[in-house]
Amino acid sequence: SQTIHQWPATLVQPVGSPLSLECTVEGTSNPNLYWYRQAAGRGLQLLFYSVGIGQISSEVPQNLSASRPQDRQFILSSKKLLLSDSGFYLCAWRSGQEWETQYFGPGTRLLVL
Amino acid sequence: GQNIDQPTEMTATEGAIVQINCTYQTSGFNGLFWYQQHAGEAPTFLSYNVLDGLEEKGRFSSFLSRSKGYSYLLLKELQMKDSASYLCAVSDSNYQLIWGAGTKLIIKP
């Protein structure tokens, strides 16, 4: 069966510090991968998605970036965090079939102070 | 533009039935998903509709009318553990999910 991991679970960072969140998927190959952010009490905002190694599509211009160095690894980064980057960051995967469901990792709660 | 509308919050009584509505306007349609999200946790998949009609899964059912741009999630025999947010998402013409803001369901004893 497939599993998706995210770490860390919780992170408190000062404004201006860098960020690196990691997501890995097991039990599948060539998945579509997604990074979402959810502000408190709000819906999901798609940040980035990837259909393959080195292929990243950005949905929202911001100070975040994403990379996919390996087939089942997806990394979200920032060089300098802003207060507005606080939120719940969720990684999701889906098989290459378009009608398939997206499945979410446990999430990382980021607080920027 | 693309838009998904759901009520912000609903309250229901344990053991009762509740219907959560979702209306959508999207560029293309390749199916509608319902997810459940407990506070502080990730969303989990509940149901998928791509054809008109009702899909039943135990206590949960989901209905779709493509001509009306409308879906609902029906929860029967409500339990306290059903207290959560319920997210409606539509797969658009590019197979990307467009998300509603979610409906927070509060269950009272």
Side-chain angles (χ1 to χ4, degrees), chain A residues 34 36 38 42-44 46 49 88 90 94 98-102 104-105 109, chain B residues 33 35 37 40-45 48 87 91 95-97 99-102:
Chain A
Y34 304 83
Y36 288 93
Q38 187 176 36
R42 305 289 293 276
L44 298 177
L46 179 62
Y49 70 93
F88 191 36
L90 290 157
R94 191 196 73 190
E98 291 89 351
W99 58 85
E100 289 290 335
T101 302
Q102 288 186 22
F104 288 86
R109 193 161 302 282
Chain B
F33 296 82
Y35 283 78
Q37 185 177 25
E41 298 181 8
T44 55
F45 169 73
Y48 172 65
L87 310 179
S91 179
Y95 295 94
Q96 297 296 351
L97 290 185
W99 294 85

Side-chain angles (χ1 to χ4, degrees), chain A residues 36-47 83-90 108-110, chain B residues 37 40 85 87 100-102:
Chain A
Y36 288 93
R37 178 170 60 201
Q38 187 176 36
R42 305 289 293 276
L44 298 177
Q45 179 187 32
L46 179 62
L47 302 175
L83 286 174
S84 58
D85 291 324
S86 294
F88 191 36
Y89 287 82
L90 290 157
T108 295
R109 193 161 302 282
L110 172 66
Chain B
Q37 185 177 25
S85 288
L87 310 179

Side-chain angles (χ1 to χ4, degrees), chain B residues 3-108:
Chain B
N3 195 50
I4 310 275
D5 286 316
Q6 319 178 220
T8 303
E9 188 174 295
M10 299 182 70
T11 302
T13 305
E14 190 177 15
I17 299 173
V18 71
Q19 178 176 310
I20 302 174
N21 295 325
C22 171
T23 58
Y24 63 89
Q25 289 180 312
T26 57
S27 57
F29 179 84
N30 284 301
L32 186 144
F33 296 82
W34 283 97
Y35 283 78
Q36 181 190 59
Q37 185 177 25
H38 284 102
E41 298 181 8
T44 55
F45 169 73
L46 286 178
S47 68
Y48 172 65
N49 295 70
V50 66
L51 299 177
D52 290 351
L54 189 67
E55 295 279 344
E56 296 186 79
K57 275 188 183 181
R59 294 189 299 114
F60 292 7
S61 303
S62 55
F63 171 83
L64 174 67
S65 169
R66 288 172 297 171
S67 63
K68 295 182 179 179
Y70 168 68
S71 173
Y72 68 73
L73 181 69
L74 191 70
L75 291 74
K76 302 177 184 177
E77 301 169 14
L78 285 170
Q79 302 174 10
M80 297 305 292
K81 67 179 182 179
D82 297 329
S83 292
S85 288
Y86 291 85
L87 310 179
C88 172
V90 171
S91 179
D92 71 6
S93 56
N94 296 317
Y95 295 94
Q96 297 296 351
L97 290 185
I98 311 300
W99 294 85
T103 298
K104 182 178 180 180
L105 177 63
I106 300 168
I107 309 296
K108 294 185 174 180

